[in-house]
Amino acid sequence: SSQASNFEKWRSAIENYVTTVKPGNQTALNTARVPFATYLNTIHNRIHPKFADDFLQALNSLPKGHSLNDMHLVAHVELVLSKDEGKIVRMGMAKRSGNSIFDAVALSSIDKASPFGKAPSDIVSSDGNVYLHWEFHRDPVDACSSRNARPYLV
């Protein structure tokens, strides 16, 4: 099935990913500041159609008790982007949702939505990359909202 092959594609990013952003090596940035907010909105506007409009809407046809209809599912993704084009350098699960299909779809949605364009220089780390933690919620109210995104300097 396509879900099984999708999981295989993202298996190591789900099961074996080691985050770069760790307590002590990072500075959380104020996401309300204009350069961050604009860039996060750009990313969100590319991810939302893939994750919320396509995936979450499709779940409405599943039976009520299906594991993907657990409204408490939340996948935390670490996303590392290149500063110039916003291409994915690496990504994986910072915290798994407990449902591998949900996690794989979150990663796949980001992959299909990228690249995200040039990042504002204020959020570029010294290694030339942009570090984000982004939450994906089963609850359609939160879905992939940019208010649940955190940029970091490492």
Side-chain angles (χ1 to χ4, degrees), residues 1-11 14 100-101 104-105:
S1 82
S2 68
Q3 286 183 333
S5 62
N6 200 23
F7 174 73
E8 284 307 314
K9 177 179 179 180
W10 299 110
R11 179 189 288 276
I14 294 170
S100 295
I101 292 171
V105 171

Side-chain angles (χ1 to χ4, degrees), residues 95-115:
K95 184 177 174 193
R96 296 167 66 179
S97 71
N99 185 306
S100 295
I101 292 171
F102 189 83
D103 294 347
V105 171
L107 294 167
S108 180
S109 297
I110 296 168
D111 186 53
K112 290 175 184 169
S114 71

Side-chain angles (χ1 to χ4, degrees), residues 8-154:
E8 284 307 314
K9 177 179 179 180
W10 299 110
R11 179 189 288 276
S12 68
I14 294 170
E15 295 179 350
N16 306 317
Y17 188 81
V18 178
T19 61
T20 303
V21 175
K22 299 183 183 342
N25 81 339
Q26 50 78 18
T27 304
L29 299 170
N30 177 355
T31 57
R33 289 197 39 225
V34 170
F36 312 141
T38 303
Y39 193 59
L40 294 178
N41 283 336
T42 298
I43 295 171
H44 173 256
N45 289 340
R46 294 186 57 85
I47 294 172
H48 191 85
K50 315 241 179 304
F51 183 76
D53 298 345
D54 293 349
F55 175 62
L56 292 183
Q57 285 294 322
L59 298 181
N60 292 335
S61 64
L62 293 174
K64 189 173 166 65
H66 194 282
S67 64
L68 284 170
N69 280 333
D70 175 355
M71 288 296 164
H72 296 93
L73 290 174
V74 182
H76 298 253
V77 176
E78 179 175 84
L79 186 54
V80 183
L81 302 175
S82 65
K83 66 179 179 181
D84 292 328
E85 289 121 20
K87 289 183 178 172
I88 298 167
V89 175
R90 62 189 285 257
M91 72 172 168
M93 301 309 298
K95 184 177 174 193
R96 296 167 66 179
S97 71
N99 185 306
S100 295
I101 292 171
F102 189 83
D103 294 347
V105 171
L107 294 167
S108 180
S109 297
I110 296 168
D111 186 53
K112 290 175 184 169
S114 71
F116 301 107
K118 186 171 177 62
S121 58
D122 293 3
I123 66 170
V124 177
S125 290
S126 58
D127 66 359
N129 292 321
V130 173
Y131 293 85
L132 302 168
H133 280 197
W134 205 292
E135 294 177 13
F136 290 81
H137 294 252
R138 171 58 183 95
D139 183 336
V141 174
D142 279 320
C144 54
S145 169
S146 60
R147 78 173 175 276
N148 293 316
R150 304 276 177 273
Y152 295 94
L153 289 176
V154 295

